[in-house]
Amino acid sequence: MQKIYFYNTRTRKKEEFRPIEQGKVGIYSCGPTVYAYAHIGNMRAYVFADSLRRMFELIGYDVKHVMNITDVGHLVSDADDGEDKMEVGKKLEGLDAWGLAEKYTKAFFKHAEKLHIKKPHVVCKATDHIKEQIEMVKKLEDADYTYIIDDGVYFDTSKFAEYGKMAKLDIEGLQLGARIDSAGKKNKTDFALWKFSPKDTKRDMEWDSPWGRGFPGWHIECSAMSSKYLGEQFDIHTGGIDHIPVHHTNEIAQSECASGKEPFVNYWLHCEFLSLDKDTKMSKSKGDVLTIDSLEEKGYSPLAYRYLLLTSHYRNPIKFSFDSLKMAKKTLRKLQKHILSIKKNAKDIVALSDIAIKHKENFLNAICDDLNTAKALAELHAVIADKDITDSEKYELIKYFDLALGFDFVNMQENKDIDIPAEILDLVAMRDEARQNKNWEESDRLRDKIIGLGYELKDTANGAEVRLKDGNI
Ligand code: AMP
Ligand code: ZN
C-alpha cells in the first residue's frame, strides 16, 4: 500500500502513518460551535479534514470520520470563565439555545456542502451525549482525578504527570504567574468537567447529574464521543492549532486518565490559521467575520475558496485577501475550461502510458506526503499541459486526482459550474436595480454590455440569471 507521512503534533516529527487496524483509519475532527455562522477560517479546518479523508479513500482505506457539533458548554473563555457561547448568542438573536444550535448547524452543513466537504460518517451533538459525558466524569471521579468547587466539578491536572506534554506547556511557569480564575480552582490549568447551572437564572440547556443540575464542560464532549465512536484509542485527531494548548491538552488528560491507556490518539494533525491581515485572528465572537455566504455575495464561488485553500499547505498560515481569492477564481476557471475541452475529446482507455503512470505516482506521493495539496494541484496542471499524453489519458488522471481534490470536475457543466466573474455579477446587479427603478434605458445599456462581454441573460422572478454564451468556453 502507498506510504503516507504526517507531521504529528504529538511527537513534533514527520512520521510514517501506521494504522491501528490494517487498511482502516479512524479520524475525529473537532466540529463547529454552533452559536454563530462559521467563518471562512473555521471552514479551512473542515476543508483540511475533508482532504485528509479523501486522501485515505483515494488509496483504498476504509475510513470512519467522526465530527462533533458543540451545541453546549463552550464558554466564552477557554479558562472556564464567562458565559456559555450558546447563551450569549441566543440573547442577540431572540431564539432559545436549541433554536440557535439548529439554525447554525444547518447553516454549517449548507456551507460545507458548497465547499464539497463530504459529510462525516458520524456527526454527533454534545447535547445528544450527556449520559456518556456524565459516565466519563464518574470514571474520573472514581479514579480520584476530580474535585468539586462552587461552580462545578473540576479535573485536577496536577494528578496527571503527562499533562501538557503535547503542547509543551511550561506548567511550573504557568503556576508561578497564576491568576486562578474560578474561585477554588487548585491549579491554573485545572478545567471544568461539569458546570453547575447558575442559581439565579434558568438555562435552556441543563441536565441532572450526580453532582447537581448543570451542563458538561466543553472538553469532555470530545473525549466521550470520540471513544464511543472510535474506541478509547484511535488513529487521527484533527483541529486548528488554537486547540493545542487547552482543548486538545485537556482531551488527552481526561481520555488517558479515564481509560488508563496511552496514547489516546496516535497522530494529532493541526491546521494553521487563516487570518484577515497580519495579526488578526478571525473571531466569531467579535462579529468581524467573513462567511461562505459573504464570499458568494461578492461573486466568489465556494469552490474558488476551496481552490485557494488547497494551494497552501495546511500547516502554513494563510493571510486572506480578495486579491488572492480573485487569482484562485481565475485559475480554477481556466482549469475548468481546459478540463471541459479535454473531456470532449476523451475516450475510454484500457491502460495508461508510462508517462501518465508517472504523473499518477507524483500526485500520490505529493498528497500522501503530509497532505501536500499544493504540490498535488501543481501535478494536475502538469497533466493538463503535458503534450506527450492523450486527452483520454489526461481525463483518466483528472478523474482520479479529483477524488482527492474534490472539485467534481466530472459532473461540471458548461455554463453552470464555471464561475461568473465578479465584474459581470456587479453589472447584473446594477441592471436588476435599473429594472426595479423602471430605468429601461440604463437596463438595456447594461444588458448590451453584459452580452458584449460574452454572457447571456435570462430574466426570472428572482432577478436575472447569467451564464456564459454557448460555445464561449
Ligand atoms: P469553533 O467553531 O470555534 O469551535 O472552531 C471550529 C474549528 O475552526 C476548530 O478546529 C478551530 O481550531 C478552527 N479555527 C478557528 N479559527 C480558525 C482560523 N482563523 N483559521 C483556521 N482554523 C480556525
Ligand atoms: Zn474537540
Side-chain angles (χ1 to χ4, degrees), residues 161-350:
E162 303 285 288
Y163 187 80
K165 194 173 162 196
M166 178 173 83
K168 297 189 185 298
L169 294 185
D170 169 14
I171 306 291
E172 279 176 22
L174 272 175
Q175 299 301 356
L176 276 177
R179 176 183 70 84
I180 298 190
D181 315 83
S182 285
K185 241 171 82 164
K186 291 184 183 170
N187 308 287
K188 170 91 177 164
T189 45
D190 293 354
F191 56 91
L193 297 163
W194 186 264
K195 292 274 282 187
F196 301 134
S197 294
K199 297 201 172 57
D200 46 349
T201 38
K202 164 117 188 58
R203 286 174 52 95
D204 292 336
M205 292 175 165
E206 53 181 5
W207 297 265
D208 287 326
S209 82
W211 313 279
R213 204 157 170 77
F215 58 100
W218 168 37
H219 318 295
I220 196 79
E221 68 173 87
C222 288
S223 288
M225 293 191 281
S226 62
S227 67
K228 172 167 179 171
Y229 295 106
L230 293 169
E232 287 176 330
Q233 293 179 290
F234 59 91
D235 297 300
I236 299 179
H237 197 310
T238 77
I241 49 154
D242 57 326
H243 283 345
I244 301 171
V246 181
H247 183 49
H248 290 166
T249 290
N250 294 348
E251 272 190 50
I252 293 172
Q254 300 161 149
S255 298
E256 294 188 358
C257 292
S259 72
K261 296 175 189 162
E262 58 96 23
F264 159 47
V265 172
N266 284 340
Y267 302 86
W268 284 89
L269 271 52
H270 291 101
C271 83
E272 258 291 349
F273 260 45
L274 174 118
S275 58
L276 278 181
D277 50 44
K278 199 163 162 282
D279 295 310
T280 319
K281 173 179 146 174
M282 216 176 288
S283 152
K284 270 193 222 179
S285 49
K286 280 194 216 149
D288 55 348
V289 299
L290 274 178
T291 64
I292 292 303
D293 287 339
S294 40
L295 297 189
E296 282 194 301
E297 277 157 21
K298 290 180 163 55
Y300 295 98
S301 76
L303 286 188
Y305 181 58
R306 184 179 179 99
Y307 189 89
L308 174 73
L309 292 178
L310 297 191
T311 56
S312 277
H313 192 271
Y314 74 90
R315 288 193 294 109
N316 285 339
I318 298 182
K319 221 194 291 170
F320 177 82
S321 73
F322 278 101
D323 282 347
S324 54
L325 184 59
K326 201 174 209 171
M327 201 56 175
K329 174 176 166 161
K330 262 191 177 165
T331 317
L332 176 63
R333 192 153 176 264
K334 250 198 208 153
L335 197 60
Q336 288 173 320
K337 280 182 176 183
H338 282 304
I339 293 174
L340 278 169
S341 78
I342 290 170
K343 186 178 172 183
K344 277 185 194 152
N345 299 330
K347 301 190 177 55
D348 285 345
I349 50 169
V350 215

